[in-house]
Amino acid sequence: MARPRTAPRTVDHPDLAQVGLQQVMEALVDPVRRMVVSQLVRKGEDMSCGTFEVPVSISTLTHHFNVLREAGVIRQYYVGVTKMNTLRTEEMGERFPGLLPAVIAACAEEAGSDVG
Amino acid sequence: MARPRTAPRTVDHPDLAQVGLQQVMEALVDPVRRMVVSQLVRKGEDMSCGTFEVPVSISTLTHHFNVLREAGVIRQYYVGVTKMNTLRTEEMGERFPGLLPAVIAACAEEAGSDVG
DNA sequence: CCTATATTACGGCTGTCGTCGAAGTAATGG
DNA sequence: CCATTACTTCGACGACAGCCGTAATATAGG
């Protein structure tokens, strides 16, 4: 039987109007998740799940992606067998003005210190 | 014997240069601690520990003040038998530009919705 | 269909955080 | 000196988040 051509693997994303500050803060409080956000910013383009440099196992990383997606921080979509990730920068900027940029800037500043 | 007139009860505050983003995020992720920050902003003046409206016991509240102080978010000082609290807004603004205002704005926005 | 690759779901473990009540300490006022 | 007020410290407890490894699922390609 023919496999369905449409919507092979879909991903649910919340409307940011339904995301609370608590959820976003909980998403951004974890250092591994902030690494993900930072690397997305630094790279400047969408990244597949497997290309992040994080000090945790793959299954744990999946968990972190779920948290970030459910908090509306990232958007995910499948490309073949890989899953791509992108920041929902603009939408977040409308929902929580200045929050994401401030956190990203702080990350970058701290990373800058110890990268030396 | 005469009680010491100098430094009756002192409080230690960190230099913000030594406070990391992780610590500040952990301080601000707790809803009770954000209530404290919000109420300080809303009131517009220093508040004593006992005057905050929070849904926790006094001993728990003490713990939250400690976390906020050690993260550099608030400054505390004694006035007689009461302990006053104030936001370190400016210093935080230099250390993590835009972070505190963004969180405060988001708090206010959410509070506004359900106060309706 | 079979294999390889990429990611997810599940179950369990562990450490930490928020919470409380009770006892302790410090200043104030009678 | 004693009582009162305001806050702190301590110990315990329960809940939950992060972590991992293993088994499962879905796509691409031969």
Side-chain angles (χ1 to χ4, degrees):
Chain A
M1 52 184 103
R3 286 171 258 122
R5 295 292 168 204
T6 58
R9 268 196 283 193
T10 56
V11 188
D12 265 3
H13 294 92
D15 180 350
L16 285 215
Q18 295 167 351
V19 173
L21 174 60
Q22 185 60 35
Q23 206 176 344
V24 175
M25 291 299 290
E26 282 172 5
L28 296 177
V29 79
D30 186 282
V32 174
R33 290 194 285 265
R34 283 203 308 276
M35 282 185 203
V36 168
V37 172
S38 287
Q39 289 177 33
L40 274 172
V41 171
R42 195 140 40 90
K43 192 84 168 195
E45 57 187 29
D46 299 3
M47 294 172 68
S48 74
C49 290
T51 61
F52 288 83
E53 292 181 11
V54 289
V56 295
S57 72
I58 305 212
S59 60
T60 299
L61 186 53
T62 293
H63 163 68
H64 287 310
F65 283 126
N66 288 340
V67 173
L68 284 170
R69 191 189 64 246
E70 286 161 16
V73 178
I74 62 171
R75 185 177 296 281
Q76 299 187 292
Y77 58 96
Y78 281 96
V79 174
V81 75
T82 72
K83 196 177 197 174
M84 301 299 290
N85 301 274
T86 185
L87 281 176
R88 299 178 67 176
T89 313
E90 282 207 15
E91 295 161 282
M92 280 292 295
E94 292 174 8
R95 180 74 180 85
F96 299 113
L99 181 55
L100 198 49
V103 173
I104 289 171
C107 286
E109 186 265 337
E110 293 208 333
S113 327
D114 62 29
V115 161
Chain B
M1 53 184 105
R3 286 170 258 124
R5 296 290 168 206
T6 57
R9 270 197 280 192
T10 55
V11 188
D12 265 4
H13 294 93
D15 181 349
L16 285 216
Q18 295 167 352
V19 173
L21 174 61
Q22 184 60 33
Q23 206 176 346
V24 176
M25 291 299 289
E26 282 172 6
L28 295 177
V29 78
D30 186 282
V32 173
R33 290 193 286 263
R34 284 203 309 278
M35 282 186 204
V36 168
V37 172
S38 288
Q39 290 176 34
L40 274 172
V41 170
R42 194 140 40 90
K43 192 84 169 195
E45 57 186 30
D46 299 2
M47 294 173 68
S48 74
C49 289
T51 60
F52 289 82
E53 292 182 11
V54 290
V56 294
S57 72
I58 306 222
S59 59
T60 299
L61 185 53
T62 293
H63 163 67
H64 287 310
F65 283 125
N66 288 340
V67 173
L68 285 170
R69 191 189 64 244
E70 286 161 16
V73 178
I74 64 171
R75 184 177 296 280
Q76 299 187 293
Y77 58 96
Y78 281 96
V79 174
V81 74
T82 72
K83 198 178 198 174
M84 301 298 290
N85 301 274
T86 185
L87 281 176
R88 297 178 68 176
T89 314
E90 282 206 15
E91 295 162 281
M92 280 292 295
E94 291 174 10
R95 180 73 180 87
F96 300 113
L99 182 55
L100 199 48
V103 173
I104 288 171
C107 286
E109 187 265 337
E110 293 207 332
S113 329
D114 62 27
V115 162

